Amino acid sequence: MTILHSQTGYVQWSRWAEVKAMTLMTRNSRIRPQEDHWVPLSDLMTGLMMIFLLVAIVFMLQVKKNEAKIVEAQNRIREIATHYTDLRGQLYKELSEEFKDDLPKWRASIRPDLSIRFEEPNVQFDIGAATVKDAFKATLISFFPRYIKILRSPKYAEAIEEVRIEGHTSSLWKNLTPELAYYENMRLSQERARSVLMHVFGIQAIRDDETIRWIIARVTANGLSSARRLVTSEGTEDFIGSQRVEFRVRTAAEDQLSKILGALGR
């Protein structure tokens, strides 16, 4: 009886153990897929965090690179501005010294923006005409060779981008509307600037090949009509003063600054 009871208990325990094992297997089979699901998800999150970290690092490096680029451009702009400001000051001083005795008799003036203004229209052209008068021809023969000699000196020659011969008029034109008067004055100012250009090209003192090549590369004729007319101290148009010829120097500073700003934008 004791042995039978023991066998019966063993069998019952075995069945219990078997049932328990099956229960655990079933439970594991249900839980396992969930565990398998969470493992790759955590790996994905880790990967994303690494990507975000790399993007942040690249962005920070790019910001630092741009900051260094901006600082470099600012320093270069400052150097160019200082260089050309000094150069303009030197050129203004040298031109003023060269022409100080002539400017009063020519009714001309030189300005810090490197423009030389011939202010007596009756000496330059007849009313409504574009032919250079003899008195102005004599002035140009004295002025232009000395002017070009200074501009072509080694310390200025490469820094000068353009020498503009500008024709200016007043806003008046008899019996025309302001718009049509502007058109006619544009034609007249262009013809006058061109006439001055043709005359200075013919001056014998600048007829060597090297000087002519330099002039052709830089000297231009520009008619501006009444776009830059002068005004009196009372604020009204100076009809006489507005009719003038100007020689204006433009340095290469603008082009160099444009290149720097263009490179900064890339």
Side-chain angles (χ1 to χ4, degrees), residues 130-148:
T131 301
V132 180
K133 297 176 74 171
D134 289 342
F136 193 38
K137 285 181 180 180
T139 296
L140 293 172
I141 290 172
S142 175
F143 162 74
F144 194 71
R146 294 152 63 193
Y147 180 62
I148 291 299

Side-chain angles (χ1 to χ4, degrees), residues 203-251:
I203 296 174
Q204 193 61 38
I206 56 98
R207 290 303 303 176
D208 62 281
D209 292 342
E210 188 176 347
T211 302
I212 289 295
R213 282 195 298 269
W214 191 91
I215 291 174
I216 289 174
R218 291 171 176 83
V219 179
T220 63
N222 306 269
L224 285 89
S225 187
S226 57
R228 296 181 185 175
R229 56 189 180 273
L230 305 181
V231 296
T232 65
S233 57
E234 289 78 24
T236 58
E237 181 177 351
D238 181 353
F239 295 104
I240 300 299
S242 294
Q243 303 172 54
R244 65 197 189 277
V245 171
E246 294 186 8
F247 287 75
R248 185 182 301 273
V249 171
R250 188 170 71 88
T251 68

Side-chain angles (χ1 to χ4, degrees), residues 169 181-191 223-226:
T169 70
Y182 178 82
Y183 296 153
E184 286 300 318
N185 280 316
M186 180 63 75
R187 175 189 58 76
L188 179 61
S189 63
Q190 288 175 338
E191 290 177 355
L224 285 89
S225 187
S226 57

Side-chain angles (χ1 to χ4, degrees), residues 27 45 53 70 73 84 103 118 121 128 190 197 199 219 231 247:
R27 184 179 300 170
M45 293 299 294
L53 180 60
I70 291 172
Y84 280 97
L103 294 175
F118 293 90
Q190 288 175 338
L197 176 68
H199 178 69
V219 179
V231 296
F247 287 75

Side-chain angles (χ1 to χ4, degrees), residues 84-95:
Y84 280 97
T85 298
D86 292 343
L87 183 140
R88 286 168 66 93
Q90 293 171 13
L91 181 54
Y92 171 71
K93 182 178 180 180
E94 193 163 340
L95 290 171

